């Protein structure tokens, strides 16, 4: 399944409700499960992003839908990056060399 790295920044609403971030995590994980998306890692971070997580989704559309659903709650803004493992990258290189 395709993997994605997602970078989050809290909105003003999200920062005001920072005490609920652990509870929001649980609701978020449950919503991903319902969409068939597997949460691989989740980290609260210091620096330009407030949260970084990785997921596996059946396809790009499902990953995008998950990000839209999360963003629609108003607590975060997302930046989603499609991630390629070594085997996938080897296949990309082989196609580029052909």
């Amino acid at each position: 399944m395709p993997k994605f790295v997602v970078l989050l920044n809290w909105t003003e609403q999200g920062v005001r409700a920072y005490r609920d971030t652990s509870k929001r995590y649980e609701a978020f994980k449950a919503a991903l499960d319902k969409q068939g998306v597997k949460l691989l890692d989740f980290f609260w971070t210091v620096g330009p992003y407030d949260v970084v997580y990785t997921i596996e989704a059946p396809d790009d559309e499902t990953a995008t839908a998950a990000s839209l659903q999360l963003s629609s709650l108003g607590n975060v803004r997302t930046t989603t990056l499609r991630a390629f493992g070594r085997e996938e990258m080897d296949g990309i290189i082989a196609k580029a060399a052909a």
Side-chain angles (χ1 to χ4, degrees):
M1 272 204 295
K3 291 183 175 70
F4 301 85
V5 176
V6 184
L7 311 170
L8 299 183
N9 285 111
W10 285 342
T11 62
E12 287 184 38
Q13 174 182 311
V15 170
R16 281 194 304 270
Y18 74 90
R19 288 178 183 90
D20 297 331
T21 190
S22 294
K23 292 175 190 170
R24 290 195 311 252
Y25 164 84
E26 293 299 332
F28 170 62
K29 187 171 180 339
L32 288 179
D33 289 343
K34 286 181 183 176
Q35 292 181 328
V37 176
K38 181 179 178 184
L39 182 62
L40 302 175
D41 289 301
F42 189 100
F43 302 100
W44 287 268
T45 57
V46 175
Y49 298 98
D50 300 308
V51 173
V52 176
Y53 67 87
T54 57
I55 57 172
E56 275 186 342
D59 50 49
D60 294 351
E61 293 82 5
T62 303
T64 302
S67 288
L68 285 171
Q69 184 181 35
L70 175 62
S71 294
S72 73
L73 301 174
N75 293 308
V76 297
R77 297 203 194 312
T78 64
T79 301
T80 304
L81 309 169
R82 173 63 166 90
F84 299 96
R86 181 166 182 237
E87 288 181 12
E88 290 172 299
M89 195 62 204
D90 287 344
I92 292 166
I93 292 168
K95 286 182 181 183

